Amino acid sequence: MAEALRLAHQAASEDEVPVGAVVVHQGKVVGRGYNRRESDQDPLGHAELMAIREAARSLGSWRLMDCVLVVTLEPCPMCLSAAQQARVSQVVFGANDPKGGALSLGYRVHEDPRTNHRFRVELEENAECSQVLRDFFKKKRAAGPV
Amino acid sequence: MAEALRLAHQAASEDEVPVGAVVVHQGKVVGRGYNRRESDQDPLGHAELMAIREAARSLGSWRLMDCVLVVTLEPCPMCLSAAQQARVSQVVFGANDPKGGALSLGYRVHEDPRTNHRFRVELEENAECSQVLRDFFKKKRAAGPV
């Protein structure tokens, strides 16, 4: 989670909503990502998708077997479903996202018995993961409307 | 849909499950994609994601306002949620996917009042969209296990 947090701070420094993600395989980080939606003008520029894509490239396979996706914020439905498509074995996130998080909204694809891959998704609460977001939006508000 | 179908056939010719997608803006195709999961070993290599990414690049914006995503097969939860992230105004698909489709599985993010973007998703049944899939799997079965 330390590396994911470093990536979240990197996002903030580029004026992006600070979310960072890594994919870990056998104790090693094989994929990294941070939110770049505005910089890249890419609707798919979420931290998780970037980390998943990089991990698949590193491992040479679209099946991220025995991989854990670690992300600072609860994944949105797109990213949780992407983790399922990628067959990750676990997702760990550091802070809840009551407005946009897949679990918070009730889209629990990861435990749907009708799908062909299920996995655990766990909150490992981390104060810094929410703090980096609070700081970012506080600064935004102080700067006033753009 | 004719262009999406052409892309589905392209996928089949590359030994990929034949699904094709386009993004249409003001009557013009601005993004194209076909399933390339195996060829690229990319878990995010679905037709819809590729078409969405290309459309964002073409239009220079992550917001695909007034864009319609046309896809030969019912989108999976990842792709339907991606269409929502991209703010498309409509999704049209040519064939149901009872096992993997977001609507078939009940993941109706596109009409969830708690999300910040809603849009229509419609089936425009097209016999060729399902036929290309049936032909592909029939050929696969005839070829026997790999």
Side-chain angles (χ1 to χ4, degrees):
Chain A
M1 186 62 84
E3 176 65 3
L5 258 166
R6 192 188 65 74
L7 291 159
H9 284 290
Q10 179 63 34
S13 77
E14 297 179 18
D15 208 29
E16 296 273 1
V17 174
V19 181
V22 293
V23 171
V24 180
H25 180 246
Q26 296 177 344
K28 218 182 110 188
V29 172
V30 293
R32 289 174 176 80
Y34 60 91
N35 179 28
R36 290 186 51 85
R37 187 171 67 170
E38 298 295 336
S39 315
D40 292 349
Q41 286 296 311
D42 180 359
L44 314 179
H46 288 202
E48 298 94 319
L49 294 201
M50 302 182 99
I52 287 172
R53 182 172 290 118
E54 192 176 288
R57 236 182 271 136
S58 304
L59 301 173
S61 169
W62 66 261
R63 291 177 188 85
L64 303 185
M65 312 277 277
D66 307 316
C67 283
V68 181
L69 172 67
V70 181
V71 54
T72 56
L73 184 66
E74 183 185 349
C76 74
M78 171 178 75
C79 290
L80 186 64
S81 306
Q84 184 172 52
Q85 288 291 336
R87 312 279 197 271
V88 305
S89 61
Q90 195 184 351
V91 173
V92 175
F93 62 98
N96 282 314
D97 182 2
K99 283 186 185 171
L103 280 68
S104 297
L105 294 172
Y107 296 106
R108 306 183 69 88
V109 284
H110 61 291
E111 56 186 22
D112 186 332
R114 298 166 302 172
T115 64
N116 54 9
H117 180 71
R118 265 94 63 197
F119 53 101
R120 279 182 303 147
V121 180
E122 276 161 23
L123 169 66
E124 279 186 14
E125 208 150 9
N126 182 308
E128 210 191 326
C129 290
S130 26
Q131 191 61 47
V132 65
L133 283 158
R134 268 198 303 274
D135 290 348
F136 178 80
F137 287 113
K138 193 174 162 188
K139 215 168 126 185
K140 280 280 173 197
R141 278 192 301 273
V146 271
Chain B
M1 186 62 84
E3 176 66 4
L5 259 166
R6 191 188 64 76
L7 291 159
H9 283 290
Q10 179 64 34
S13 77
E14 297 179 18
D15 208 30
E16 296 273 1
V17 174
V19 181
V22 293
V23 171
V24 180
H25 179 247
Q26 295 178 344
K28 219 182 111 188
V29 172
V30 292
R32 287 172 177 81
Y34 60 90
N35 179 27
R36 290 185 52 83
R37 188 170 67 171
E38 299 296 335
S39 315
D40 293 348
Q41 286 296 312
D42 180 358
L44 314 180
H46 289 203
E48 299 94 317
L49 294 201
M50 303 182 100
I52 286 172
R53 181 172 291 117
E54 191 176 287
R57 236 182 270 134
S58 305
L59 300 174
S61 170
W62 65 261
R63 291 177 188 85
L64 303 185
M65 313 276 278
D66 306 315
C67 284
V68 180
L69 172 66
V70 181
V71 53
T72 55
L73 184 66
E74 184 185 347
C76 75
M78 171 178 74
C79 291
L80 186 63
S81 305
Q84 184 172 51
Q85 288 291 336
R87 311 277 196 272
V88 305
S89 61
Q90 196 184 349
V91 172
V92 176
F93 62 99
N96 281 315
D97 182 3
K99 283 186 185 172
L103 278 69
S104 296
L105 296 171
Y107 297 106
R108 307 184 67 88
V109 285
H110 61 291
E111 56 185 23
D112 186 331
R114 298 166 301 172
T115 63
N116 54 10
H117 180 70
R118 265 93 65 197
F119 53 101
R120 281 182 301 147
V121 180
E122 276 162 23
L123 169 66
E124 278 185 16
E125 209 149 9
N126 181 309
E128 210 191 326
C129 290
S130 27
Q131 192 59 47
V132 65
L133 283 157
R134 268 197 304 272
D135 290 347
F136 178 81
F137 287 112
K138 194 175 164 189
K139 215 168 127 186
K140 280 280 171 198
R141 278 192 302 271
V146 272

